[in-house]
Amino acid sequence: MNRLTQQETQEWLRRYAAPYKELMAYYRCAMMEVSTKFQVLNEELSLQYDRNPIESIRTRLKSMESIMDKLSRRNLPLTVQGIEENLNDVAGVRVICAFPSDIYMLSEAFLKQDDITLIRKKDYIAEPKDNGYRSLHLIIETPIFLHDQKKMMKVEVQFRTISMDWWASLEHRIRYKKDIQMEEHIHNELHECAQISAALDQRMERIHRTSESLRDS
């Protein structure tokens, strides 16, 4: 199915403006819930490890155009219900950590919380994408508490090290040229940079562990 025209998008918004606005507010609430959980974990773990395992927490709400394009490409219902039932990445939270071990420690602690339900997990650190992309992705469901109800909402959580995030951000800027085929040598260079980044993560973590053991001895 072709992408929606601007007129079709505007017509859709006229029909669903109120329920769409309400749903997006729910997604923002879900992002706040998840972000708060990580802020609490960061504070608690900083006492245990004498450092903050989380470098930064960022949130992202998918744009209406991107939502409509995704539904259209998949031939899914172009309705508010269609968004909620079929898309898992409307609300996104990205957690940036110092070291790969922090990613696994935080994700495990997060998933142990009794109001977090794991829907899907993709470990692109253990098995990077063909282009070299590395990250740990979780699709989770968590409740938000409204004035008259509890509502379950889906959120995509991405964990990256500083190095992984730096590479992914620059790769996106280089690659994001619509209708332009990526040259093979550029693809290969990006993949090599991803490997160098991964090796740097491992090396920095080894240095960190050595410094920790020297401090504790």
Side-chain angles (χ1 to χ4, degrees):
M1 189 173 179
N2 295 328
R3 297 176 63 180
L4 296 179
T5 65
Q6 185 176 2
Q7 183 177 352
E8 288 171 329
T9 302
Q10 291 173 348
E11 177 59 29
W12 185 92
L13 189 57
R14 279 194 290 270
R15 290 180 61 190
Y16 296 105
Y20 174 80
K21 183 177 180 181
E22 182 178 62
L23 180 61
M24 292 303 106
Y26 294 159
Y27 278 121
R28 282 192 291 271
C29 291
M31 290 189 301
M32 286 190 283
E33 289 279 355
V34 171
S35 295
T36 299
K37 287 178 178 296
F38 282 114
Q39 289 167 4
V40 171
L41 281 172
N42 195 41
E43 185 68 24
E44 186 236 331
L45 291 169
S46 70
L47 299 174
Q48 182 176 346
Y49 295 100
D50 197 27
R51 66 181 181 86
N52 294 100
I54 297 177
E55 295 291 321
S56 64
I57 302 168
R58 301 200 291 269
T59 60
R60 180 270 301 150
L61 191 65
K62 215 172 186 66
S63 69
M64 186 190 69
E65 291 78 13
S66 182
I67 290 171
M68 292 298 99
D69 281 347
K70 195 165 189 177
L71 290 174
S72 181
R73 287 197 310 270
R74 296 182 177 183
N75 291 319
L76 294 169
L78 299 176
T79 62
V80 171
Q81 184 178 359
I83 297 171
E84 193 168 6
E85 291 181 354
N86 295 294
L87 299 187
N88 295 327
D89 61 346
V90 175
V93 175
R94 184 171 297 156
V95 182
I96 309 301
C97 303
F99 305 106
S101 60
D102 291 334
I103 289 175
Y104 292 109
M105 174 188 65
L106 283 163
S107 63
E108 288 171 10
F110 176 67
L111 291 174
K112 285 178 182 176
Q113 299 188 15
D114 58 14
D115 59 349
I116 295 294
T117 301
L118 177 64
I119 297 174
R120 188 171 71 238
K121 178 180 179 179
K122 289 187 177 181
D123 190 346
Y124 296 117
I125 302 173
E127 297 183 15
K129 289 187 178 182
D130 291 341
N131 67 346
Y133 174 85
R134 294 179 303 133
S135 181
L136 177 65
H137 290 197
L138 306 178
I139 302 295
I140 61 95
E141 195 170 51
T142 189
I144 59 170
F145 297 90
L146 307 170
H147 77 284
D148 60 349
Q149 63 174 313
K150 178 177 80 171
K151 187 171 178 62
M152 302 302 294
M153 301 298 298
K154 296 174 188 173
V155 178
E156 181 187 51
V157 184
Q158 295 180 355
F159 296 87
R160 298 176 183 171
T161 63
I162 301 166
S163 172
M164 294 173 196
D165 190 56
W166 167 83
W167 181 91
S169 298
L170 292 183
E171 191 270 352
H172 179 75
R173 289 188 180 217
I174 294 167
R175 185 179 293 272
Y176 194 66
K177 298 282 188 179
K178 293 184 179 177
D179 303 322
I180 295 178
Q181 185 67 33
M182 178 67 71
E183 293 288 341
E184 183 178 356
H185 74 279
I186 297 177
H187 174 85
N188 292 338
E189 288 254 21
L190 288 169
H191 189 270
E192 184 179 349
C193 286
Q195 292 177 314
I196 294 170
S197 171
L200 183 61
D201 267 342
Q202 293 172 1
R203 188 172 182 179
M204 293 298 289
E205 181 140 29
R206 284 196 301 270
I207 295 170
H208 170 69
R209 287 175 178 171
T210 300
S211 67
E212 289 288 289
S213 63
L214 289 173
R215 189 188 67 177
D216 296 338
S217 61

